Amino acid sequence: MAVKARTDLEALDRTDPLSGFRNEFFLPEGVIYLNGNSLGAMPLAAAERAKRVVEHEWARGLIGSMNSAGWYTLPTTLGRKIAPIVGAGPNEVVLTDATGINLYKVVAAALKMQPDRRVVVMEGSNFPTNNYMVQGLLEQLDKGHTIRFAEADGMLDAIDEDVAAICITHVHYKTGNILDMAAITAKAHAVGAAAVWDLCHSAGAMPVDLNGCNVDFAVACTYKYINGGPGAPALLYVAERHHGKYTQPLTGWYGHAAPFEFERDYRPVGDIRQMLSGTQPTASLSIAEIGIDIMLRADIHQIREKSMRMTDLFIELVEQRCAQFGVELVSPRDARQRGSQVSFLNDDGYPIVRALHDRGVICDYRAPGNMRFGFAPLYLRYADVWDAVDHLHDILASEAWKEDRYQVRAAVT
Ligand SMILES: *Cc1c(COP(=O)(O)O)cnc(C)c1O
């Protein structure tokens, strides 16, 4: 659509079927939060839950809360809840540990299923921790495995009969490019490789169909679009057909067939709990349930529709108003090919992002040069898109970003 004024966007907000969700979140006054792809905003009910888990379940219930407050089973009860958000069956998901740690476990399991092969296919430009974790695993295995790095356009060709497993991220963290989960998984299976998918930038932002795509293993953050809270335990999925037929390296008591028999030797439980290692960050798990519950009440198709529209409008407005300052779109132009984020390239991206922060527009910087703007449809308004571009235009036109204080890199960008 051709947007001319803020009122055009206010009109969209009035008919937005998701608009009611904004009231369920705390958003600081004067902030336009375009970083829900890094850390989702806080649902108001999360503060209540945090208080309850600490002051009631912990303080009063003490160790008894393991049973009475359901602490012990949180990884599976929340896994069962979150499963439909990624198209998984109720017994195929646990919430546990960090995404990177879960990736380590599932890639190890996948490689063991193909003991005669030595290649893992990954996207080289992927969020680096995935590469680091798999590099660490291969070093530890010491069996001559290598990573074959490929980019989006060469992905299918890179998957041949030497490949034991692919480990691919669905939506690219920097560009927002979406990879074809069904086609890439089908190619992996056609050559006899296992398919591991990372859903960090897609879970809660768009429909995901792990079962429909026949995916073997998957992981995802819950602190991004699912609003589970800082450091919230991550999602881990294993297709039911593999249950009881794989091994994973972090064989702690929570994955044992009978943890409270205290047997000397490890004996894996045959279901999804085999991916658990030990005592979980219980307060974090409890708080994460709030974000999951909100997500379950929202229609993921409406979320995706709003996300595509918001990112389309953002691109349109930035190009309309800021093109003369040298901003280059690095995200796919076709909304169907793009996740819920937009990145623009500018050599001075870092100081521009810092100047935006000073004006309450919270986005982030991903070296080299990428200014990354995430759009979380549950709590953003279309009018926020207008206001964010307004600030960006002001900063570029006034050259406010040239101030000295914006040039110094902070530890976290
Ligand atoms: C956000 C993100 C992670 C984060 O991993 P942690 O273990 O939670 O630090 C990993 N991989 C991808 C692709 C991500 O986008």
Side-chain angles (χ1 to χ4, degrees):
M1 77 187 254
V3 181
K4 297 210 167 46
R6 191 179 197 271
T7 48
D8 295 337
L9 296 177
E10 291 165 2
L12 290 178
D13 283 322
R14 280 194 293 277
T15 56
D16 171 14
L18 296 172
S19 62
F21 284 102
R22 181 176 172 89
N23 297 328
E24 299 192 36
F25 290 87
F26 181 86
L27 291 160
E29 199 59 41
V31 163
I32 300 172
Y33 194 58
L34 304 185
N35 229 326
N37 54 330
S38 273
L39 174 64
M42 186 197 79
L44 294 170
E48 289 301 309
R49 175 61 65 91
K51 201 167 149 69
R52 194 179 91 203
V53 73
V54 173
E55 293 186 357
H56 181 79
E57 296 176 3
W58 179 15
R60 293 178 174 77
L62 293 165
I63 192 67
S65 287
M66 276 288 188
N67 289 315
S68 63
W71 284 357
Y72 181 62
T73 50
L74 273 174
T76 42
T77 49
L78 297 188
R80 186 173 288 273
K81 266 194 168 182
I82 208 169
I85 294 173
V86 292
N91 300 319
E92 294 178 316
V93 177
V94 276
L95 240 60
T96 184
D97 300 330
T99 299
I101 292 170
N102 288 340
L103 196 78
Y104 191 91
K105 290 182 282 187
V106 297
V107 173
L111 293 181
K112 200 80 189 280
M113 289 162 70
Q114 269 298 5
D116 299 328
R117 297 187 182 187
R118 292 287 178 273
V119 176
V120 186
V121 170
M122 300 186 75
E123 194 177 17
S125 64
N126 181 30
F127 189 65
T129 199
N130 295 24
N131 300 347
Y132 304 161
M133 291 307 277
V134 175
Q135 284 164 348
L137 169 65
L138 300 188
E139 165 89 23
Q140 200 63 26
L141 289 174
D142 202 15
K143 289 211 170 120
H145 286 92
T146 55
I147 301 177
R148 179 180 294 162
F149 287 117
E151 292 303 314
D153 51 3
M155 191 61 69
L156 288 173
D157 289 340
I159 304 171
D160 62 20
E161 261 140 45
D162 296 330
V163 176
I166 62 165
C167 176
I168 309 287
T169 301
H170 188 204
V171 174
H172 198 278
Y173 81 107
K174 219 184 258 184
T175 65
N177 186 50
I178 300 175
L179 292 177
D180 186 340
M181 186 183 288
I184 295 172
T185 302
K187 177 73 195 278
H189 289 166
V191 300
V196 178
W197 284 89
D198 178 321
L199 311 173
C200 279
H201 289 279
S202 40
M206 65 186 64
V208 175
D209 192 2
L210 289 174
N211 282 170
C213 295
N214 217 14
V215 168
D216 298 287
F217 300 93
V219 298
C221 291
T222 59
Y223 52 75
K224 291 173 176 165
Y225 293 102
I226 296 174
N227 307 305
L235 178 158
L236 188 160
Y237 157 92
V238 182
E240 194 146 23
R241 63 183 175 278
H242 299 312
H243 292 188
K245 297 180 192 147
Y246 66 86
T247 62
Q248 65 98 347
L250 305 182
T251 47
W253 68 316
Y254 270 49
H256 193 279
F260 289 91
E261 298 301 325
F262 304 104
E263 297 170 8
R264 189 194 67 180
D265 296 322
Y266 183 75
R267 192 159 62 81
V269 65
D271 57 39
I272 188 65
R273 291 173 297 171
Q274 190 182 340
M275 280 295 182
L276 301 177
S277 295
T279 306
Q280 294 300 306
T282 306
S284 288
L285 273 170
S286 299
I287 294 167
E289 184 169 20
I290 302 293
I292 296 167
D293 282 343
I294 292 176
M295 191 58 67
L296 288 171
R297 279 189 281 112
D299 178 338
I300 193 73
H301 299 283
Q302 288 177 351
I303 289 178
R304 176 64 177 149
E305 202 158 301
K306 183 175 175 185
S307 151
M308 291 197 290
R309 206 161 194 190
M310 287 188 124
T311 50
D312 269 344
L313 287 165
F314 184 73
I315 292 170
E316 178 186 329
L317 284 169
V318 169
E319 293 190 334
Q320 205 182 86
R321 303 187 61 199
C322 307
Q324 70 270 36
F325 305 111
V327 288
E328 181 196 333
L329 180 68
V330 284
S331 299
R333 195 169 285 282
D334 179 353
R336 289 165 302 180
Q337 189 55 45
R338 190 174 66 226
S340 207
Q341 67 187 67
V342 176
S343 292
F344 279 101
L345 207 59
N346 182 292
D347 289 344
D348 299 303
Y350 185 71
I352 295 169
V353 163
R354 290 288 302 279
L356 281 165
H357 284 190
D358 256 10
R359 291 166 178 237
V361 181
I362 310 299
C363 53
D364 62 20
Y365 175 77
R366 289 291 174 264
N370 286 277
M371 303 184 284
R372 190 175 70 155
F373 304 87
F375 293 84
L378 278 185
Y379 48 80
L380 284 180
R381 295 169 300 207
Y382 288 100
D384 293 325
V385 175
W386 178 273
D387 294 340
V389 179
D390 222 29
H391 284 299
L392 178 62
H393 173 265
D394 278 2
I395 286 163
L396 292 168
S398 67
E399 300 195 333
W401 59 269
K402 286 191 172 168
E403 286 181 40
D404 285 347
R405 62 197 170 117
Y406 297 140
Q407 316 304 318
V408 190
R409 285 287 160 99
V412 176
T413 62

